Amino acid sequence: MPTVRIPPVLRPEAGNNRHVEAEGQTVREVLENLVESYPSLRERIFEGDELPQFLNVFIDGTDVRLNEGLETPVDEGATVVLLPAVAGGESNVATLRAVLDGFNRHDLDAIMAHFADDCVFESPRGPERWGRRFVGKDEVRRGLAARFEGIPDVHYGDDDHFACGNRGLSEWTISGTTVDGEQIDVRGCDIWTFGEDGKLARKDSFWKIREG
């Protein structure tokens, strides 16, 4: 049976539960069964028959609005995460986690779905003091694709994320083996800027330099 993860702001209406099991084969069915058990949640997670603008719903790190919305299929045993937008904080952190999940799945489409059309990516290496700069969604996609091409087994672990206002930070350990056989295992971070629409406007990446 699917599990719904209840954020702190909604727990009073859900019996103070952190997780609630709710049957359903689609997001809509799961949420309808949830509000049947906790009626006071309805006005918080539905606006008419649709999701309110301020509520984000994720399955396996992907915003359901990028799939089929409320009609997105839900597998048995899946976790449905509810994330109200609270001053950009929780919602933006959820975006950063979803992007990192896309990186670990090497899914460029999932990653780029969170970027604005006029986004900028500044890579940790390059000829300039800021590394190498990619401007616009097509160029940013090309720059990120190069990461997977250069380190085919790249993985980001030990991650932590936070956001405040329109800025965010992701810390992680990047590991893998380059096509030249170099072993990569260093700490690094991304400094993010969010646009007014909540999309990612800027990604500035940094890696530690290991010596010895």
Side-chain angles (χ1 to χ4, degrees):
M1 182 181 301
T3 298
V4 182
R5 185 182 300 169
I6 310 295
V9 69
L10 297 181
R11 286 175 194 163
E13 285 86 2
N16 291 317
N17 291 305
R18 296 170 61 92
H19 301 88
V20 176
E21 291 187 340
E23 293 183 353
Q25 296 183 343
T26 65
V27 172
R28 184 185 299 278
E29 291 176 359
V30 169
L31 296 184
E32 285 287 358
N33 282 319
L34 176 67
V35 300
E36 184 175 337
S37 298
Y38 301 99
S40 60
L41 275 176
R42 177 172 290 277
E43 63 182 27
R44 305 292 300 276
I45 62 176
F46 281 109
E47 188 172 287
D49 292 329
E50 301 299 328
L51 291 174
Q53 184 177 1
F54 63 82
L55 181 67
N56 299 292
V57 180
F58 289 80
I59 299 177
D60 297 329
T62 301
D63 190 333
V64 300
R65 288 187 174 92
L66 302 178
N67 289 322
E68 299 176 48
L70 285 172
E71 309 312 320
T72 300
V74 179
D75 294 335
E76 185 74 17
T79 298
V80 178
V81 180
L82 305 181
L83 283 171
V86 181
E90 285 189 84
S91 176
N92 287 350
V93 168
T95 295
L96 301 184
R97 287 176 176 151
V99 169
L100 185 131
D101 178 69
F103 270 101
N104 283 337
R105 290 187 286 112
H106 296 196
D107 188 339
L108 275 172
D109 289 337
I111 295 168
M112 296 308 303
H114 297 283
F115 279 81
D117 289 340
D118 58 351
C119 56
V120 174
F121 166 43
E122 294 183 346
S123 68
R125 299 183 183 183
E128 307 293 344
R129 62 190 300 182
W130 51 79
R132 187 180 303 277
R133 182 175 292 152
F134 301 85
V135 180
K137 206 165 185 177
D138 289 342
E139 282 296 296
V140 169
R141 185 186 181 100
R142 183 174 68 84
L144 298 181
R147 177 71 46 81
F148 301 136
E149 294 165 2
I151 313 174
D153 60 345
V154 66
H155 179 81
Y156 296 80
D158 303 322
D159 56 296
D160 194 16
H161 314 267
F162 70 83
C164 182
N166 72 331
R167 303 304 300 276
L169 181 73
S170 298
E171 297 178 284
W172 28 256
T173 298
I174 183 172
S175 59
T177 305
T178 71
V179 292
D180 295 326
E182 178 187 359
Q183 295 291 320
I184 304 293
D185 183 26
V186 296
R187 291 293 286 169
C189 69
D190 285 309
I191 299 175
W192 302 93
T193 302
F194 291 86
E196 292 183 359
D197 59 356
K199 295 285 189 179
L200 293 168
R202 184 169 181 266
K203 167 183 163 71
D204 194 359
S205 294
F206 298 84
W207 296 5
K208 295 288 188 180
I209 298 175
R210 297 186 69 168
E211 299 177 334

